């Protein structure tokens, strides 16, 4: 059967457990450092605005959105959206997250190459994520090997997107920590707390890549096994 195979137990399940652990870690780390305020009383929104203005990005808007850790930079509309737990909070966790999102805006402004690649593959990835499994299932049902192969190739674009995302996210965090330290927005243990929050968040992207690669390998192995059969 397609869904009940030992590849699931040796590939997908461990990857899923790691992803769950990474998500729990980022949540717990954020909660921990959400209780630690910074000496300057700087809010997440204030930190993001300072970083943007310092890089000549006055055109980038800030918006307050609902949710917890739903923060993101929207390059198409040139807006950084900060969540309830970040926007008005003066915790070191909030400042770290806001600085990270500002780092993405700076990446786009300076033409950081990996983010150009990620932006370019997004349309293909969207198609791959929607059509890959249906094509594989159709290929298996109709015993059409080309359909299965196309489906696997499309799913490979999902793994490619996750691979390109890693340097983008780590670079944004690196930019954030550098500016927070050099500007004096955070100091000493405050910097340590922000770094731990961003490091925990980075693990979720590592987990996403591992999960995508595990699923891709599973599909390849299943396809090969069916050919042998």
């Amino acid at each position: 059967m397609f869904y009940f195979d030992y590849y699931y137990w040796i590939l997908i399940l461990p990857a899923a457990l790691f992803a769950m652990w990474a998500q729990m870690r980022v949540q717990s780390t954020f909660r921990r450092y959400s209780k630690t305020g910074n000496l300057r009383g700087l809010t997440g929104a204030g930190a993001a605005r300072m970083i943007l203005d310092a890089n000549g990005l006055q055109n980038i808007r800030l918006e307050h959105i609902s949710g917890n850790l739903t923060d993101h930079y929207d390059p198409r509309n040139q807006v950084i959206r900060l969540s309830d737990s970040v926007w008005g909070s003066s915790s070191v966790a909030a400042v770290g997250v806001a600085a990270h999102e500002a780092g993405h805006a700076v990446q786009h402004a300076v033409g950081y190459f990996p983010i150009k690649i990620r932006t370019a593959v997004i349309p293909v990835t969207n198609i791959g994520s929607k059509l890959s499994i249906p094509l594989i299932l159709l290929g298996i049902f109709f015993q059409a090997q080309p359909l299965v192969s196309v489906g696997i190739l499309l799913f490979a674009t999902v793994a490619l997107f996750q691979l390109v995302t890693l340097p983008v996210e780590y670079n944004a965090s690196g930019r954030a920590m550098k500016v927070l330290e050099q500007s004096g927005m955070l100091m000493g243990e405050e910097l340590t707390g922000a770094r731990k929050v961003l490091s925990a968040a980075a693990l979720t992207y590592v987990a996403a890549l591992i999960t995508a690669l595990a699923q891709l390998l599973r599909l390849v192995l299943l396809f090969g096994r069916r050919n042998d059969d």
Side-chain angles (χ1 to χ4, degrees), residues 1-6 218 222 225-226:
M1 294 294 292
F2 185 75
Y3 287 106
F4 298 94
D5 58 272
Y6 57 84
R218 174 178 177 247
L222 282 172
R225 188 179 69 179
R226 295 183 72 87

Side-chain angles (χ1 to χ4, degrees), residues 169-181:
E169 296 299 331
Y170 274 99
N171 179 265
S173 292
R175 290 174 187 270
M177 292 308 305
K178 183 176 180 180
V179 72
L180 289 176
E181 182 175 10

Side-chain angles (χ1 to χ4, degrees), residues 15-192:
L17 291 175
F18 178 69
M20 290 175 58
W21 173 80
Q23 191 60 43
M24 289 188 294
R25 181 174 178 182
V26 70
Q27 292 285 350
S28 62
T29 305
F30 185 84
R31 282 196 302 269
R32 176 183 175 186
Y33 289 101
S34 288
K35 301 174 183 178
T36 303
N38 66 85
L39 293 176
R40 295 184 60 179
L42 192 63
T43 65
R49 186 74 269 162
M50 288 178 65
I51 295 171
L52 293 173
D53 292 347
N55 285 275
L57 299 177
Q58 289 82 2
N59 60 307
I60 304 295
R61 297 178 293 110
L62 297 177
E63 288 184 0
H64 183 190
I65 58 173
S66 60
N68 180 44
L69 294 180
T70 51
D71 315 87
H72 63 277
Y73 171 58
D74 179 354
R76 179 173 297 180
N77 295 306
Q78 295 191 318
V79 56
I80 291 177
R81 299 188 176 97
L82 300 177
S83 63
D84 294 330
S85 54
V86 171
W87 176 269
S89 172
S90 59
S91 70
V92 297
V95 171
V97 170
H100 174 91
E101 298 307 330
H104 283 311
V106 175
Q107 287 175 332
H108 279 274
V110 301
Y112 180 59
F113 186 64
I115 208 166
K116 289 184 177 181
I117 298 177
R118 186 173 76 166
T119 300
V121 302
I122 285 177
V124 179
T125 301
N126 289 337
I127 295 173
S129 63
K130 294 176 182 177
L131 296 182
S132 58
I133 300 302
L135 283 176
I136 292 171
L137 290 173
L138 285 173
I140 292 172
F141 183 79
F142 291 108
Q143 296 185 343
Q145 179 179 341
L147 278 180
V148 176
S149 299
V150 170
I152 291 176
L153 285 175
L154 284 176
F155 190 86
T157 65
V158 177
L160 174 62
F161 175 79
Q162 298 298 344
L163 178 62
V164 176
T165 293
L166 273 186
V168 172
E169 296 299 331
Y170 274 99
N171 179 265
S173 292
R175 290 174 187 270
M177 292 308 305
K178 183 176 180 180
V179 72
L180 289 176
E181 182 175 10
Q182 292 182 346
S183 65
M185 291 187 198
L186 298 181
M187 296 175 289
E189 291 301 315
E190 296 172 351
L191 285 168
T192 300

